[in-house]
Amino acid sequence: MIQAEAAAPEGAPNHPLAVRMGVIAGVSHNVVIGTVMGHFGVMLASVQQRMGINAEQASLGIPLVLIGSSIVAPFAGVLLARYSLRLILVIGALLTVGGFAVLGLTNSYPLYLLAYGLLLGPAMSLTGSVGPATLVTRWFNRNRGLALGVVHLPIVIAILPVALNWFIERNGHVAAYLTLAIFTAIFLVPLTLLAVDHPPGGEQPAPEPAEKRTADGSFSVAQLLARPRYWAMCLAVIASMASSVLLGSLLVPMAMSWGFTPGESALIQSIMSAVGILGSVLFGWVSDRLGGARTLALIAFDCAVLWTLLLLQPPFAATALIVGLIGMHGAGAIPGISKSITEAFGQASFSRGFGVNTVISLPFIAFAIVGSAGVYTATGSYNPAIIAMAGFFVVAILLALYAASGRKAALSPA
């Protein structure tokens, strides 16, 4: 069992290996998320030609990735709490290799779907999301929020589409898929083998007496779900996640409904993505100073104001600024929730808490996208959806402040 007195307290100096673990986590997140999400749009037209399918059928790949990732996430959290983190990271890297290899070698549409749903989707959870965040949370006691922000910088996904398009023009789509598989095999797999599961001394346990914790010092999934504070922080961060995905999916038609041209609408979306990169580091730094839950409250307050301003349908420059700031705040959600879970329930509970939050968020995000599109179809305006999103953030402020009101795991008795 991991003892509370053995674990380094919050704010204690990091172990010398922490930086190496941060690099491994950052590369793992970037390679998996960047290649899986960054290649899809570039490859879409070739998939239709190779397999003789239409655009709607080809587009099912990414939804299957998201579904597969969300289904695996809570199991990933449990596995990471019980078994070797290094092994889980390696498995996710191998799944990524297998997914791209299948995509490069097959013309079968069913295998195309399986590659996304059963290989790349689980890889997103294991080695792209839950695994890297858990590695950082275990090894960083000081500046943990900033480290999480740096690890989640979307570097690869920002440059891969352009680089991949250049590569495809010279070598073709099959070579592109296989190159992604080979790159992952010779770069990511060996790197994940260098991960170390736990720092010396273990992790902060859950803030309960030993007899009420699991053998590894953590809360079980059932114990987390039984706590209102956990639900409060999850729902608070889901507002930010729904906001980001909603704008990422519908921003172009939304901006066009406000009278902007398709080119201007696409530029606004690009600005949102570019400015969003800053938010990961900024709000990681903020969470180290305010705490995770208070950071979520700050994000929710700012976003409630920003979404309300969209109702004014300001001119192009102001709209681009507002949307860019929303994107920046949305990028701060991951370091905010990561820090919040660790502060409330201990490092040992992080992987379970983070994984389960992913599943809880899925219906909210899906409803936000489908509901907003449905509202526009029925009314010819996105204003009701904007009002609902602003209202969600108002509720998120209260939930995040409630989540911040409890004691920290590091100060709890063993």
Side-chain angles (χ1 to χ4, degrees), residues 308-367:
T308 301
L309 289 176
L310 287 178
L311 291 171
L312 303 177
Q313 296 184 16
F316 176 81
T319 299
L321 175 62
I322 292 168
V323 171
L325 289 173
I326 292 174
M328 185 181 74
H329 283 73
I334 291 181
I337 187 62
S338 300
K339 184 87 172 180
S340 185
I341 291 171
T342 306
E343 288 174 338
F345 306 112
Q347 287 170 301
S349 301
F350 172 78
S351 62
R352 285 191 178 96
F354 191 78
V356 172
N357 174 71
T358 303
V359 177
I360 295 174
S361 69
L362 187 61
F364 288 89
I365 293 172
F367 179 78

Side-chain angles (χ1 to χ4, degrees), residues 167-253:
F167 183 90
I168 290 169
E169 289 177 354
R170 289 156 178 78
N171 302 284
H173 293 80
V174 172
Y177 280 127
L178 296 180
T179 299
L180 290 173
I182 293 169
F183 170 76
T184 305
I186 65 176
F187 183 60
L188 184 58
V189 173
L191 188 68
T192 53
L193 286 169
L194 298 177
V196 180
D197 290 345
H198 298 278
E203 305 158 43
Q204 299 160 359
E208 292 286 351
E211 63 272 13
K212 294 185 179 181
R213 302 192 301 251
T214 62
D216 62 2
S218 66
F219 281 128
S220 67
V221 171
Q223 288 173 318
L224 286 170
L225 293 176
R227 281 160 171 76
R229 193 177 174 194
Y230 177 72
W231 281 98
M233 63 181 65
C234 283
L235 292 173
V237 78
I238 285 169
S240 294
M241 296 166 69
S243 168
S244 296
V245 177
L246 172 59
L247 285 181
S249 302
L250 299 178
L251 180 56
V252 171

Side-chain angles (χ1 to χ4, degrees), residues 32-80:
V32 177
I33 302 294
T35 56
V36 173
M37 303 302 291
H39 85 280
F40 190 75
V42 180
M43 303 290 203
L44 207 56
S46 72
V47 168
Q48 297 175 57
Q49 295 174 357
R50 287 174 58 200
M51 299 185 181
I53 57 178
N54 59 36
E56 290 75 15
Q57 290 172 314
S59 298
L60 286 177
I62 286 300
L64 285 175
V65 166
L66 298 177
I67 292 171
S69 176
S70 298
I71 291 174
V72 169
F75 299 103
V78 173
L79 291 172
L80 288 164

